[in-house]
Amino acid sequence: MFLVPFTHHRPASLDEVFETLGRHGDDAAVYAGGTELLLALKARVLRYEHLIDLKQVKELSGIRVEGKELVIGALATHHQIANSDVVKAHVPAYAALSEEVANIRVRAAGTLAGNLAFAEPHSDPPSLLSAMDATLVLVSPGGKRAVPMRAFILSEFTTAREENELIAEIRIPVTAAGEGFAYRKFGHLERPAVGASAGCIMREGKPSYRLWFGAIGDHPLQATEIEDAIAGVPATSLPDVLPRAARDCAAGISTASDLHGSADYKQHLASVLIQRALAAACEAAQNKGGANA
Amino acid sequence: MSSRAPSPHPDHVDKVTGRTEYITDVEVPGMVHGKILRSPHPHAVIKGIDASAALEMPGVIAVLTGADVAALNNHWGLYLKDRPVIAIDRVRYVGEPVAMVAAADERIAEEALEAISVDYEPLPFVTDATEAIEASAPLVHETHDTVKDFYFKGEAKPVAGTNIFQRYNYEHGDVEKAFAQADRCFEAKYEFPMIFHYAMEPHCVIASFQSDGLTLWSCGQSPTAIQKVLSRVFGMPLARIRIISPNVGGGFGGKASVKIDPLVAALAWKARRPVRVCLSVSESMLTARRLSASIRVKTGVRNDGTILAKSVSVLMNGGAYADTGPAVAVKAANRAIGPYRIPNLKLESMAAYTNTVPGAAFRSIGGPQAVWASESQMDEIAEALRLDPLEIRNRNLLRRGEHVRPDLRPIDVEMGEAMDIATREMTQLRASDSGSKTHRGTALGISDPGIMAVSSVLLRLKIDGSVAVVSNSVEIGQGVREVLRRLTAEQLKQPVDVVEVLTPDTAIAPFDWGTGASRSSLMMGLAIADAAADIRRQIADIAAIVLEVDPQSVELCEGGIAIGNRKKTFGELLHAYFGIDSGELVSIGRVSPYSNAGKLAQAPLFWETAAGQCAVAVDEDTGEISVRHYVSVADVGRVVNRAAAEGQDEGATVMGLGHTLSEELVYQDGQPINATMIDYHVPTIDEVPENFVTVLIESGTGPGLGGMRGMGEGAILPVAPAVANALAAGYGARIRELPLTPERVWRAIRDRKER
């Protein structure tokens, strides 16, 4: 299918973006990589008279460290993130996730911000960014506001972003010494059936854990039952507690049978993957928060 | 690698640099573009179509609907005349063409589709074959209009008043008596899904009515079948219909016989302009697919594993139109026999209409479905009798010259040799990979290619010594042009680089049955030999006149002829003969069922076989299968182009990994719910086994030049049962339903553990 004719805009600044958006309102959509939007337009699921290409907007580009946060600009592609020395050094688990997003064509064009804004549930980044306690900075003509990743995705294809807001950047806390994160996913189709993200944070010899599921629900799900069950349990003792906690928690996830698998299979995968992710995260934490999987 | 020629596939550089011309690159003067509006309903009456708004859009040239084709002979088919050129009054599957727009460009055409409104009245529908043959099932077609010997030999046997469009029965011995006498009987049902061909090039056709008739640039694998169907639909003589077949980006049967050609031609006829229609991949998914099958197999054995009797019952889901399904149903029964001595055999097969994408030929028609069932059961029997899977096969294997069925050509290969080679190679591979835990699975496949011995070719020897090969063998990526080039050079004793194989064009290339069923290298090769013999005769006669020599003493040599030590170039000889330094010799080569003293008439022409062995590892927690090693062995008689032949073998196997591991077109409430490349997973390089060994046995025992057999389809046969057998051997999980998705594998392993 072909794109329905539209007017293309290439603003060079955020002011210009908002000016153009203000002029066209609901008839306009912004895009960067276009890997999600253009597909939807070609399939004629969506229709816009005006497309605003953000790629010339300098304020949205760049990957850098500011204080204790890694800042990923809205124009950074999955491929740039995966291959950025800054990301690999400061948030290695996220670099590893980026390297496995979809396929090389999607990684080369698609941006992390676009992925988050689209909020397709079968997606890799949200659960790990939730486990890492990342923050999204949204910008609008009225100014900026920060929204925690954990609160950003409301349901499938629905986010906390207002009509007149853009994602400007994603801020991820730098993985410190004694911290480790990991992401594990599984699926036999193009997109993940289930994803699981884990963080292991050692403070003065005591561990705490962060566990999130992705793709299985319509937004990232915090595995609080498992977190509670294993709170304070040293990594070496996890095998005594974790399998049962993971199984019980996963069994409670509300999910429907679909092409990715039956509900009980996806719950099982969630249990398996969260255990694998946590094992990898603990190992990474032990390697002093350095190179991890 | 013993290939002597420097470049195994001279067209590869052009392909990877984008220079190869496909139909989508062809520009015909005055050409406009067509798009198709498709049915959203599985079964409905078309109460009305309003295209007035579309016709008013700037750039829209014509709209074609069922009402337009009333003037044509508007139903066609190669077994049953069941398919309308475009839907007339009724649609029978989601995706069926209902209206078409011709417009100045594709974008306008697509926009115009949205301006067409169709009023449907939904009808009860059926998408499952088992339900389709129940008495209460809605009828997909009320009547069955069969055609005999139209393009395939014989006739389909539909059952009036039902959805059954083909029945096939065969029996020798007394199966029931033998079952009663057997120590053990094993019976089970095996399921094989609908599979999409996924040629990288979707269907693409350009049609143009000109003063000298109708010309099509078609992606079809069978140009002369397309020519014949168009001749009937438009009431035009064959001589006024011309089919040109540029490079085709993969066929696999999805472009065999006739597909979108009548539809595109009808739009060109309505628009009075040349029209180009190129489908998207998703549209090709709604155009043809492999027939899904339920296959019940019962085998009676002695306790030592000797087979006493086997009965096979096949039910195939043929979709909304029969297409080549009647042939597929017959082959699915025959190909379930296996390379074994079976003294009592009963085969039953049935194909039914459903409200789904039409089923069609697909690489080894019916073969993967049949071998999936029968070779899975061989291992189940072995396990129950505590026999090694190789031992039970060995015990029952036919030797070369023994009959699979008394009425068929005896098997012409040693399957035991192929199996032994597979075992030896796999043992080596696993020894070199001792670090990983893998399990071995074996399967054997034999198939009876449905080859019509009807082919012809034109050779044109030019005065400069160059040779043009003019045939209708279509280059679909299998490398047929290079094979024909080499065989022509060999037959005329000329270097390969003086031979040019032309783009097939029915206006100049003589009749050939089609490109498929592993037949082109073999059949066209025999035709080339016939034509080359004629060229030699002509040359000898000319030499006798011009040089006053005994024609018997004239030999072909590089660039010309030799009479003893005396040499003349073709140019010198023909210059002397024609009196000018210009001219050519033309010869035609022909193969018919009467060629080679009638030896080509017996079915099958040869047995296409494969022994497959795999080593798999499974992640028991997710159920993911990893096929780490694979060995594929076949006696192909003779290899003409080794790299290309091995490529065919590897390609067939990896294609088989698709239906083994992930591929399945899924229907829900009458809708195909995963007919896009995002939700339907075809193997990528990630699924290709780490180690892959192809062994092509060159026994020289085939019916073709130098003893060649056809090849390119056999390797797909054993893949699925070999993997399932490895899974059962290693994890105790026997799965009888493809694909072996991670979920099915995980469930089977879990159920096994809970037992």
Side-chain angles (χ1 to χ4, degrees):
Chain A
M1 298 278 272
F2 285 86
L3 293 169
V4 174
F6 55 84
T7 306
H8 192 238
H9 304 269
R10 292 197 102 182
S13 68
L14 273 177
D15 286 346
E16 234 183 290
V17 173
F18 289 124
E19 190 270 323
T20 315
L21 267 177
R23 229 171 333 123
H24 300 295
D26 287 353
D27 292 336
V30 299
Y31 79 98
T35 52
E36 304 280 16
L37 181 69
L38 297 190
L39 279 184
L41 291 175
K42 283 183 183 175
R44 312 210 164 184
V45 177
L46 295 176
R47 226 170 226 250
Y48 291 103
E49 304 264 311
H50 299 270
L51 289 192
I52 304 170
D53 177 359
L54 299 175
K55 285 196 280 292
Q56 307 298 314
V57 181
K58 296 244 167 20
E59 295 118 294
L60 300 178
S61 67
I63 298 174
R64 62 194 179 274
V65 172
E66 283 180 12
K68 290 188 173 181
E69 284 183 320
L70 173 77
V71 183
I72 296 177
L75 294 176
T77 65
H78 301 295
H79 185 69
Q80 287 166 348
I81 297 167
N83 291 282
S84 156
D85 290 336
V86 177
V87 181
K88 284 196 264 191
H90 293 94
V91 192
Y94 194 77
L97 176 148
S98 292
E99 186 61 28
E100 300 295 328
V101 168
N103 55 61
I104 184 63
R105 293 191 302 166
V106 169
R107 289 196 295 278
T111 62
L112 169 57
N115 178 296
L116 298 176
F118 197 65
E120 146 77 53
H122 289 276
S123 161
D124 297 309
S127 71
L128 183 58
L129 292 179
S130 297
M132 289 177 160
D133 209 7
T135 306
L136 274 63
V137 176
L138 304 180
V139 58
S140 68
K144 288 184 175 181
R145 69 172 175 131
V147 177
M149 180 67 225
R150 298 171 172 195
F152 181 69
I153 296 178
L154 305 176
S155 67
E156 54 180 12
F157 308 111
T158 311
T159 69
R161 185 176 70 91
E162 300 290 340
E163 288 280 319
N164 64 346
E165 284 182 319
L166 299 182
I167 299 176
E169 57 199 31
I170 297 101
R171 305 182 78 96
I172 310 174
V174 164
T175 304
E179 297 181 2
F181 290 90
Y183 174 68
R184 290 292 182 269
K185 65 170 165 178
F186 188 76
H188 71 297
L189 302 175
E190 183 72 15
R191 300 179 192 273
V194 181
S197 296
C200 170
I201 290 141
M202 301 291 292
R203 295 271 184 272
E204 291 157 8
K206 287 188 180 168
S208 66
Y209 303 105
R210 295 187 199 152
L211 301 170
W212 284 75
F213 295 118
I216 189 167
D218 62 3
H219 61 89
L221 304 169
Q222 187 170 11
T224 43
E225 287 173 52
I226 312 178
E227 289 178 354
D228 293 348
I230 64 174
V233 175
T236 47
S237 304
L238 283 176
D240 303 334
V241 203
L242 180 60
R244 191 191 177 91
R247 201 162 53 234
D248 290 350
C249 174
I253 299 173
S254 165
T255 187
S257 298
D258 57 20
L259 283 173
H260 296 280
S262 305
D264 68 330
Y265 175 62
K266 289 192 287 185
Q267 290 165 341
H268 165 77
L269 282 180
S271 165
V272 167
L273 294 172
I274 203 78
Q275 295 180 59
R276 290 182 179 180
L278 185 53
C282 290
E283 200 186 321
Q286 271 171 1
N287 297 337
K288 66 180 180 57
N292 62 2
Chain B
M1 301 287 158
S2 66
S3 183
R4 264 163 287 158
S7 173
H9 248 312
D11 58 348
H12 278 180
V13 172
D14 281 350
K15 281 186 177 169
V16 298
T17 52
R19 282 195 292 262
T20 304
E21 262 213 352
Y22 294 92
I23 295 166
T24 194
D25 304 311
V26 174
E27 281 278 347
V28 175
M31 178 174 90
V32 297
H33 299 266
K35 289 283 174 187
I36 303 169
L37 183 69
R38 295 171 181 279
S39 168
H41 295 282
H43 200 186
V45 171
I46 302 171
K47 300 193 72 179
I49 301 179
D50 182 358
S52 51
L55 281 165
E56 278 168 24
M57 291 170 70
V60 171
I61 292 155
V63 174
L64 179 81
T65 67
D68 296 307
V69 298
L72 303 176
N73 186 1
N74 54 33
H75 279 74
W76 61 274
L78 277 72
Y79 276 101
L80 289 115
K81 270 180 70 177
D82 58 1
R83 194 187 313 225
V85 170
I86 189 164
I88 303 168
D89 303 334
R90 186 164 158 192
V91 289
R92 294 182 174 87
Y93 72 97
V94 172
E96 177 158 11
V98 172
M100 268 183 110
V101 172
D105 65 35
E106 293 185 274
R107 189 181 306 275
I108 297 170
E110 209 163 68
E111 284 290 310
L113 293 182
E114 297 195 359
I116 299 174
S117 67
V118 184
D119 185 14
Y120 294 101
E121 184 182 301
L123 295 171
F125 62 87
V126 61
T127 56
D128 177 84
T130 309
E131 291 167 18
I133 60 171
E134 284 169 9
S136 59
L139 288 181
V140 181
H141 297 268
E142 271 71 32
T143 56
H144 305 303
D145 183 5
T146 60
V147 287
K148 191 180 179 191
D149 291 343
F150 180 78
Y151 204 74
F152 295 91
K153 207 173 170 182
E155 192 174 11
K157 294 192 174 65
V159 180
T162 75
N163 284 317
I164 298 165
F165 66 78
Q166 172 69 310
R167 275 169 316 154
Y168 174 72
N169 290 285
Y170 169 84
E171 191 163 4
H172 71 233
D174 186 337
V175 170
E176 292 310 322
K177 193 172 150 197
F179 283 146
Q181 290 168 350
D183 292 328
R184 301 276 297 272
C185 284
F186 297 84
E187 185 172 7
K189 197 165 98 176
Y190 303 83
E191 301 287 344
F192 194 104
M194 295 179 195
I195 304 292
F196 172 49
H197 299 81
Y198 188 47
M200 285 178 73
E201 176 203 38
H203 297 81
C204 191
V205 169
I206 300 170
S208 173
F209 283 86
Q210 292 151 331
S211 58
D212 60 350
L214 167 60
T215 300
L216 259 78
W217 288 259
S218 173
C219 67
Q221 296 171 234
S222 327
T224 55
I226 295 165
Q227 189 184 34
K228 180 164 186 180
V229 165
L230 292 175
S231 154
R232 298 294 170 95
V233 168
F234 291 97
M236 290 168 67
L238 288 166
R240 281 175 58 77
I241 295 174
R242 176 181 182 192
I243 313 295
I244 300 169
S245 311
N247 284 290
V248 174
F252 314 113
K255 296 170 182 170
S257 68
V258 181
K259 294 290 177 287
I260 65 170
D261 311 87
L263 186 63
V264 181
L267 184 61
W269 168 77
K270 175 81 191 287
R272 299 171 173 272
R273 295 281 289 273
V275 173
R276 166 190 182 270
V277 175
C278 284
L279 303 188
S280 65
V281 176
S282 293
E283 287 183 288
S284 275
M285 292 182 90
L286 300 174
T287 302
R289 47 93 179 166
R290 194 190 277 280
L291 282 83
S292 50
S294 289
I295 303 186
R296 182 171 286 284
V297 184
K298 183 176 180 184
T299 305
V301 294
R302 282 206 207 103
N303 280 330
D304 67 359
T306 306
I307 298 172
L308 297 179
K310 182 172 181 175
S311 108
V312 177
S313 176
V314 181
L315 174 61
M316 307 201 97
N317 183 331
Y321 298 104
D323 200 288
T324 38
V328 179
V330 174
K331 293 302 181 189
N334 284 342
R335 292 172 181 182
I337 304 170
Y340 308 115
R341 224 169 283 117
I342 301 173
N344 301 283
L345 174 70
K346 186 176 177 186
L347 306 174
E348 289 177 338
S349 187
M350 208 186 267
Y353 286 123
T354 62
N355 296 109
T356 63
V357 172
F362 192 146
R363 207 170 200 164
S364 190
I365 62 170
Q369 295 96 318
V371 176
W372 159 242
S374 59
E375 283 293 280
S376 290
Q377 191 171 71
M378 279 304 274
D379 264 46
E380 290 180 56
I381 300 170
E383 191 196 341
L385 299 179
R386 297 173 185 279
L387 290 171
D388 183 275
L390 299 176
E391 193 187 333
I392 191 169
R393 286 180 173 80
N394 257 324
R395 189 156 296 179
N396 292 289
L397 270 187
L398 294 166
R399 304 298 310 269
R400 190 198 306 271
E402 287 188 288
H403 279 280
V404 179
R405 266 171 48 168
D407 57 336
L408 296 181
R409 182 188 296 273
I411 194 161
D412 53 356
V413 299
E414 287 291 359
M415 283 307 284
E417 182 193 3
M419 189 168 74
D420 290 348
I421 292 171
T423 303
R424 191 185 71 213
E425 294 288 336
M426 182 54 79
T427 303
Q428 278 178 19
L429 282 180
R430 293 176 79 211
S432 67
D433 178 39
S434 50
S436 67
K437 184 183 161 205
T438 60
H439 301 278
R440 185 193 298 232
T442 301
L444 307 176
I446 66 167
S447 70
D448 52 333
I451 294 179
M452 293 305 301
V454 187
S455 281
S456 30
V457 68
L458 222 57
L459 294 185
R460 304 173 68 160
L461 173 65
K462 306 289 181 179
I463 198 156
D464 62 357
S466 62
V467 182
V469 182
V470 190
S471 88
N472 273 313
S473 286
V474 183
E475 177 58 61
I476 52 174
Q478 84 281 46
V480 71
R481 289 194 192 183
E482 180 61 12
V483 166
L484 300 188
R485 191 167 170 239
R486 291 186 188 193
L487 293 176
T488 302
E490 177 184 281
Q491 291 293 314
L492 292 175
K493 296 190 181 166
Q494 300 305 306
V496 169
D497 55 14
V498 305
V499 181
E500 195 61 43
V501 179
L502 304 191
T503 294
D505 178 346
T506 60
I508 53 166
F511 186 90
D512 174 54
W513 182 81
T515 303
S518 303
R519 70 186 292 281
S520 292
S521 298
L522 170 51
M523 275 300 155
M524 208 49 85
L526 290 173
I528 284 170
D530 190 42
D534 186 31
I535 291 266
R536 281 197 300 273
R537 274 193 300 274
Q538 293 183 45
I539 290 269
D541 291 348
I542 290 169
I545 296 166
V546 176
L547 304 174
E548 297 179 344
V549 297
D550 174 9
Q552 300 292 331
S553 65
V554 178
E555 305 256 352
L556 291 176
C557 66
E558 190 170 323
I561 57 166
I563 308 107
N565 290 330
R566 192 173 160 206
K567 291 194 174 178
K568 288 279 176 194
T569 65
F570 290 124
E572 288 164 344
L573 185 71
L574 296 184
H575 187 170
Y577 181 62
F578 291 123
I580 52 171
D581 189 14
S582 297
E584 68 174 331
L585 298 180
V586 181
S587 72
I588 183 155
R590 191 181 291 114
V591 177
S592 80
Y594 292 96
S595 302
N596 292 16
K599 280 186 198 142
L600 304 181
Q602 190 187 8
L605 184 54
F606 62 91
W607 287 91
E608 184 165 5
T609 61
Q613 233 175 60
C614 64
V616 309
V618 174
D619 178 339
E620 294 186 52
D621 287 329
T622 62
E624 184 178 35
I625 296 175
S626 153
V627 181
R628 294 184 55 83
H629 313 302
Y630 197 93
V631 180
S632 175
V633 187
D635 183 344
V636 298
R638 175 200 173 189
V639 174
V640 178
N641 182 350
R642 181 159 301 275
E646 287 179 352
Q648 282 288 298
D649 194 82
E650 291 161 7
T653 305
V654 173
M655 188 168 231
L657 283 176
H659 65 235
T660 302
L661 300 176
S662 63
E663 290 187 49
E664 175 178 26
L665 187 58
V666 181
Y667 271 85
Q668 215 170 68
D669 301 325
Q671 301 284 333
I673 57 167
N674 63 338
T676 75
M677 293 310 287
I678 290 175
D679 294 325
Y680 181 97
H681 183 76
V682 172
T684 67
I685 193 69
D686 292 337
E687 278 95 2
V688 173
E690 238 161 86
N691 293 294
F692 195 109
V693 174
T694 287
V695 180
L696 301 177
I697 301 170
E698 294 189 80
S699 65
T701 54
L705 296 182
M708 76 160 84
R709 306 190 151 72
M711 62 98 53
E713 302 189 282
I716 200 171
L717 298 172
V719 184
V723 172
N725 289 342
L727 192 65
Y731 303 89
R734 170 58 61 184
I735 300 175
R736 300 193 182 98
E737 185 176 10
L738 288 178
L740 305 172
T741 58
E743 178 173 347
R744 284 193 179 128
V745 173
W746 164 75
R747 224 174 266 290
I749 292 174
R750 187 197 59 178
D751 291 352
R752 165 78 185 178
K753 283 177 178 166
E754 283 173 3
R755 272 208 303 273

